[in-house]
C-alpha cells in the first residue's frame, strides 16, 4: 500500500492531533509546493523518523495539554535534528516537552486576534507586518518559552504567541496559520518550510502524473482493468491517468441511470472519450431505474433502490467485459477515484482498501474480487483538478461541481418521474448557465437545484392563477462539504435565474433561496 512505504524524499509529515486541522495544514504545505502527508499522533516517533521526513508539523487539536489522556509526543521528536513547527496544540506540546511553561489560565482566546511581532526579521515573520490578524482557538497559554528559544510574537492575552530556535530548527505559533483568517499565515508557513527547514518549492502535480503512470504500469502489467465513470471529476481523472498508463487494457463503464443533469451524459460519451481515447461501454438504464423508482417518495428508500440497481447494472456490464477479455489478459483490477481525505478519514492511510461507503453510489458492491488501482489516493480535490487539466480533460469535467451519485433522484422531494426529471433538468441548466455567465463558478462550491414535487403553491402567470411547484436554489460555499455556508449571490443574478426558470420551465411558478448554513442544514435536500 502506498501509505506503508517510506515517504518520498522531501516529505513533510503533518502529525494529526485531531479536529481536522491536519488536512488543511497538509493542503497549505502542498500549496507551497512541498509534498506532505498526514500521520496520526498515535504513531510512534521512531516510525515517523523512519520515514525520513524533511520536516514535521504538529497540528492543533481540541485537547488541553493538561487533560488526562490528552495526546502527547515523545521528546525524541525534537532531538532528531528534523525541523519541527508546532501550531496551537502542537505549539503547547513543544513548549511543555522542552521545559517551557504553559498555564491553564482560563484565559480563553477564540477567533480573530491581533498578533504583535516583536522580532520582525525572524525566520518565521520576516517581511510581514508587526501587527497582523491571526486566528486563535485555545484555553491554555504559554507564559515562558523553553530555554534556547526566542519569543518572536505575543498578543494581549498570550505573552508567548510564537517562539523560534534557529539552531535546533524548532518553531512554534500559538495560532492557526493554516486558516484564511490568519492574514499572513501562508507566508509564515512558507518561511518555516523554505527558511527554517531549507526546503525547495519543487513538488508539482506534473510529477504526480509521471510517478503514477509508472506505478500503474508496474501494478497492472499486462492484465486488464475496469473503471466506473460517474461523470464526476474523481473517476474521470482516475480513468484518464490509468488510460495514459495502460491504454486499451482499460475499459470504462458509464451507467446512464437517467438521473443525470442536462448534457452530462454527452460530456462523458463524447468529450471525455475524445480527450482521452478511452474505451467506453455505455449502458442506457434509464427505463430500468425509473421503473424501480416508481411510486417511491422516501429519500432513504430512493437511495437504496438507486444503489441496488446501479450495482446490478454495473455487474452485468462487468461480466460482459470479463467474458470478452483474452485469456492471457484477465480483468483483475478495478480503478477507483479515492482521494486523500477519504484515506485519512478511514484511518489515516493505514492501508485498508477503502471503498467510499456513505457516498457510495457511483457505488460498487462490497464483495468485489478485484485488486484496486487508486491513483488519486494521495491527492486533495484541487490537486485532482490540476492533474485533470494537465491531462487535457475538458474544462466542464475538470471544474464540475460535486454531484451526488444518486443524481437528481435525491433533488426531487417526492416521487421521481421522467416528467419531473425533465423539468428539474431544465431549471438546473438555467441556474448553471446564469452562474457561469456571471463568472461565479469558482466562487461557489456547488448549487443544488431542488424540485419540491410534493409541494404546490399558488401563482399568477399570464391570465390565470396557477398551481405549480417551487424550485429551491441551494448555492453554498465550502472547502470540503463537511461544513458549508450559503453563498451571498448577487441579487441581479438571482433575479435572472428566477425570472428565467418561472418563464421557461413548465409547472414552476416560484423560486426560493435556501439561506441555511451546514450545520444545521445538509447541502442536499433529499
Ligand atoms: P450533504 O447533503 O450530506 O452532502 O451535506 C455533502 C456532499 O456530498 C454530496 N453527496 C453525495 N455524493 N453520493 C455522492 O457521491 C451520494 O450519495 C451523496 N450524497 C451527498 C453532496 O452533493 C455534497 O457535495
Amino acid at each position: 500500500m502506498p501509505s506503508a512505504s517510506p515517504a518520498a524524499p522531501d516529505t513533510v509529515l503533518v502529525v494529526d492531533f485531531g479536529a481536522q486541522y491536519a488536512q488543511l495544514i497538509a493542503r497549505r504545505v502542498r500549496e507551497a509546493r512541498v509534498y506532505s502527508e498526514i500521520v496520526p499522533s498515535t504513531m510512534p516517533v521512531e516510525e515517523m523518523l523512519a520515514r525520513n521526513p524533511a520536516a514535521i508539523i504538529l497540528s492543533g487539536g481540541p485537547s488541553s495539554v493538561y487533560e488526562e489522556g490528552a495526546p502527547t509526543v515523545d521528546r525524541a521528536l525534537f532531538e532528531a535534528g528534523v525541523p519541527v513547527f508546532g501550531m496551537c496544540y502542537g505549539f503547547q506540546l513543544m513548549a511543555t516537552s522542552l521545559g517551557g511553561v504553559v498555564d491553564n489560565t482560563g484565559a480563553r482566546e477564540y477567533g480573530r486576534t491581533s498578533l504583535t511581532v516583536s522580532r520582525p526579521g525572524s525566520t518565521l515573520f520576516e517581511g510581514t507586518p508587526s501587527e497582523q490578524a491571526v486566528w486563535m482557538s485555545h484555553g491554555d497559554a504559554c507564559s515562558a518559552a523553553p530555554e534556547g528559544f526566542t519569543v518572536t510574537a505575543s498578543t494581549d492575552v498570550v505573552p508567548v504567541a510564537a517562539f523560534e530556535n534557529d539552531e535546533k530548527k524548532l518553531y512554534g505559533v500559538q495560532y492557526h496559520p493554516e486558516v484564511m483568517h490568519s492574514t499572513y499565515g501562508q507566508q509564515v508557513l512558507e518561511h518555516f518550510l523554505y527558511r527554517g527547514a531549507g526546503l525547495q518549492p519543487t513538488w508539482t502535480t506534473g510529477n504526480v502524473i509521471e510517478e503514477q503512470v509508472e506505478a500503474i504500469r508496474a501494478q497492472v502489467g499486462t492484465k486488464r482493468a475496469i473503471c466506473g465513470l460517474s461523470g464526476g471529476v474523481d473517476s474521470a481523472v482516475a480513468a484518464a491517468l490509468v488510460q495514459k498508463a495502460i491504454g486499451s487494457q482499460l475499459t470504462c463503464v458509464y451507467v446512464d441511470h437517467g438521473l443525470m443533469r442536462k448534457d452530462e451524459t454527452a460530456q462523458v460519451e463524447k468529450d471525455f472519450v475524445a480527450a482521452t481515447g478511452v474505451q467506453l461501454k455505455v449502458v442506457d438504464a434509464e427505463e430500468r431505474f425509473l421503473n424501480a423508482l416508481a411510486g417511491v417518495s422516501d429519500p432513504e428508500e430512493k437511495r437504496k433502490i438507486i444503489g441496488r440497481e446501479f450495482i446490478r447494472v454495473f455487474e452485468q456490464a462487468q461480466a460482459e467485459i470479463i467474458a470478452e477479455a483474452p485469456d492471457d489478459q484477465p480483468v483483475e483490477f478495478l480503478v477507483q477515484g479515492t482521494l486523500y481525505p477519504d484515506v485519512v478519514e478511514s484511518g489515516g492511510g493505514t492501508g485498508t482498501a477503502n471503498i467510499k461507503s456513505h457516498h457510495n453510489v457511483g457505488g460498487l458492491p462490497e464483495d468485489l474480487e478485484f485488486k484496486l488501482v487508486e491513483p488519486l489516493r494521495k491527492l486533495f480535490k484541487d490537486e485532482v483538478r490540476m492533474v485533470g487539466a494537465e491531462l487535457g480533460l475538458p474544462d466542464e469535467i475538470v471544474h464540475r461541481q460535486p454531484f451526488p451519485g444518486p443524481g437528481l433522484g435525491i433533488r426531487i422531494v417526492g416521487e421521481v418521474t421522467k416528467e419531473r426529471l425533465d423539468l428539474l433538468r431544465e431549471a438546473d441548466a438555467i441556474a448553471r448557465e446564469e452562474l457561469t455567465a456571471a463568472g461565479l463558478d469558482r466562487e461557489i462550491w456547488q448549487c443544488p437545484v431542488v424540485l419540491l414535487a410534493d409541494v404546490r403553491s399558488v401563482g399568477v402567470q399570464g391570465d390565470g392563477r396557477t398551481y405549480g411547484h417551487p424550485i429551491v436554489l441551494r448555492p453554498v460555499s465550502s472547502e470540503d462539504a463537511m461544513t458549508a455556508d450559503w453563498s451571498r449571490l448577487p441579487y441581479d443574478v438571482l433575479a435572472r435565474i428566477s425570472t428565467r426558470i418561472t418563464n421557461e420551465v413548465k409547472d414552476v411558478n416560484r423560486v426560493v433561496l435556501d439561506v441555511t448554513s451546514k450545520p444545521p442544514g445538509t447541502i442536499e435536500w433529499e
Side-chain angles (χ1 to χ4, degrees), residues 131-309:
E131 290 287 324
Q132 50 189 276
V134 297
W135 192 257
M136 288 284 189
S137 165
H138 64 99
D140 308 333
C142 179
S143 59
E147 208 181 303
F149 281 73
T150 307
V151 177
T152 53
S154 60
T155 73
D156 285 349
V157 178
V158 185
V160 182
F163 53 47
E164 309 184 26
N165 183 335
D166 283 322
E167 197 195 315
K168 300 211 158 120
K169 299 192 180 309
L170 301 178
Y171 303 87
V173 295
Q174 174 59 73
Y175 61 94
H176 288 276
E178 74 277 18
V179 308
M180 268 175 342
H181 310 285
S182 295
T183 321
Y184 293 88
Q186 184 67 14
Q187 211 164 322
V188 166
L189 173 63
E190 289 178 4
H191 280 343
F192 165 71
L193 296 170
Y194 308 151
R195 289 155 58 87
L199 294 165
Q200 299 289 324
T202 51
W203 183 76
T204 68
T205 45
N207 315 348
V208 172
I209 296 177
E210 279 169 35
E211 199 185 286
Q212 281 305 318
V213 164
E214 284 298 304
I216 294 163
R217 282 186 187 145
Q219 187 187 7
V220 178
T222 59
K223 309 275 172 48
R224 303 184 62 85
I226 295 184
C227 179
L229 284 182
S230 67
V233 189
D234 308 346
S235 62
V237 175
L241 255 177
V242 176
Q243 164 70 17
K244 189 174 166 70
I246 61 167
S248 61
Q249 287 161 258
L250 170 72
T251 308
C252 290
V253 178
Y254 174 74
V255 177
D256 181 2
H257 50 24
L259 308 170
M260 301 305 275
R261 301 189 292 177
K262 196 172 170 180
D263 296 333
E264 282 178 340
T265 294
Q267 261 172 27
V268 176
E269 281 186 281
K270 297 206 186 81
D271 306 347
F272 182 73
V273 171
T276 57
V278 89
Q279 292 185 77
L280 178 67
K281 186 178 181 82
V282 177
V283 188
D284 178 358
E286 182 182 25
E287 215 178 294
R288 176 182 181 139
F289 277 82
L290 288 179
N291 286 339
L293 286 166
V296 180
S297 300
D298 178 69
E300 275 308 310
E301 188 64 14
K302 280 197 257 180
R303 273 179 179 277
K304 273 200 201 113
I305 292 171
I306 297 168
R308 183 191 70 208
E309 293 303 313

Side-chain angles (χ1 to χ4, degrees), residues 435-476:
L435 289 172
T436 304
L440 292 168
D441 285 341
R442 312 270 165 104
E443 307 278 309
I444 54 168
W445 167 265
Q446 62 184 134
C447 178
V449 174
V450 182
L451 173 65
L452 302 187
D454 280 353
V455 177
R456 281 185 176 272
S457 62
V458 175
V460 49
Q461 285 173 300
D463 294 333
R465 284 161 76 81
T466 57
Y467 199 42
H469 298 290
I471 283 278
V472 180
L473 304 176
R474 173 70 166 135
V476 291

Side-chain angles (χ1 to χ4, degrees), residues 303 358-361 402-406 410-411 445-446 481 518 522-524 526:
R303 273 179 179 277
H358 163 60
H359 290 157
N360 72 349
V361 181
F403 187 60
I410 57 164
R411 290 187 181 169
W445 167 265
Q446 62 184 134
K518 172 185 178 177
T522 51
I523 295 175
E524 301 292 344
E526 319 243 336

